[in-house]
Amino acid sequence: MVKNKKILIITFAFALLFALSGYSKKEKDINFPKDSEGYPKSNVMLINGEETELQDITLIDGKMSHVVNAKNRKDGTVVVVLPQGIPSNQWYIQESEEIKLISYMTESLFNGSGEKLEGPSSEIQTFCFSAPPSSTVLFKWVNTNQSGKSFDEKDEDYLLKVKISE
């Protein structure tokens, strides 16, 4: 009887582990467009898996701002994938009572031949969040030396507004 319970528990644990690894694999397999040298394109972002134009963040001359529209997925979430562009900057999301960050992931996409180039970043940042329809979610592209500041205090080089529609 005790042996059967152990087998049942071990089987359940493996099934749960297998199911969770399958889920995380699905979220991790992001097909982000790359340039000819294997780096993420800096003028593209993904919203719920679909490509959307993003003004090229690496060609900044002063501050930039951009507005895009998005819809919630069936599960009520939105997934935004942004290129880091250069290693000295990162994207930050504004959270609030209505806008909940569910998951955040950074990963390197570099698979180009040869050594990594000086300058561009091979990183992409993935934000999965929930937000009600008719809300606006703000993202700031900020120099990493401001990482200890609150979102409102961060002085952005780029402000991205994602308007959630029904």
Side-chain angles (χ1 to χ4, degrees):
M1 177 86 154
V2 173
K3 189 175 184 180
N4 288 341
K5 284 185 180 179
K6 285 183 180 178
I7 292 172
L8 183 61
I9 290 172
I10 290 171
T11 304
F12 177 76
F14 277 115
L16 183 61
L17 183 63
F18 181 74
L20 290 175
S21 67
Y23 176 75
S24 63
K25 181 75 173 160
K26 196 184 325 177
E27 287 293 310
K28 195 174 179 181
D29 287 341
I30 297 170
N31 191 18
F32 200 90
K34 299 176 189 169
D35 65 16
S36 61
E37 298 186 358
Y39 289 89
K41 287 187 175 180
S42 58
N43 63 344
V44 174
M45 64 184 284
L46 299 180
I47 298 179
N48 297 333
E50 294 189 25
E51 285 186 34
T52 302
E53 182 182 349
L54 180 68
Q55 291 174 317
D56 194 337
I57 60 176
T58 59
L59 301 177
I60 291 184
D61 186 21
K63 294 185 178 194
M64 295 180 74
S65 181
H66 190 63
V67 179
V68 295
N69 294 312
K71 290 185 179 185
N72 284 326
R73 298 186 305 177
K74 290 180 183 177
D75 65 357
T77 63
V78 178
V79 176
V80 174
V81 184
L82 296 161
Q84 188 175 350
I86 56 175
S88 61
N89 279 39
Q90 285 190 347
W91 289 98
Y92 295 89
I93 185 173
Q94 182 183 32
E95 295 181 75
S96 67
E97 288 182 21
E98 293 183 331
I99 301 166
K100 305 280 189 226
L101 181 63
I102 296 168
S103 67
Y104 168 77
M105 180 175 64
T106 301
E107 68 180 300
S108 175
L109 295 185
F110 183 76
N111 65 353
S113 58
E115 294 184 33
K116 285 188 174 183
L117 299 175
E118 191 80 22
S121 172
S122 63
E123 303 286 318
I124 58 170
Q125 295 175 252
T126 304
F127 299 86
C128 179
F129 59 90
S130 64
S134 303
S135 62
T136 300
V137 181
L138 300 178
F139 290 87
K140 287 183 176 180
W141 192 59
V142 176
N143 190 294
T144 56
N145 66 8
Q146 296 187 44
S147 62
K149 297 180 179 179
S150 71
F151 185 85
D152 292 334
E153 293 174 329
K154 287 179 171 68
D155 185 28
E156 77 276 0
D157 294 320
Y158 195 113
L159 179 65
L160 175 65
K161 299 176 183 181
V162 179
K163 291 187 175 186
I164 309 299
S165 61
E166 293 189 41

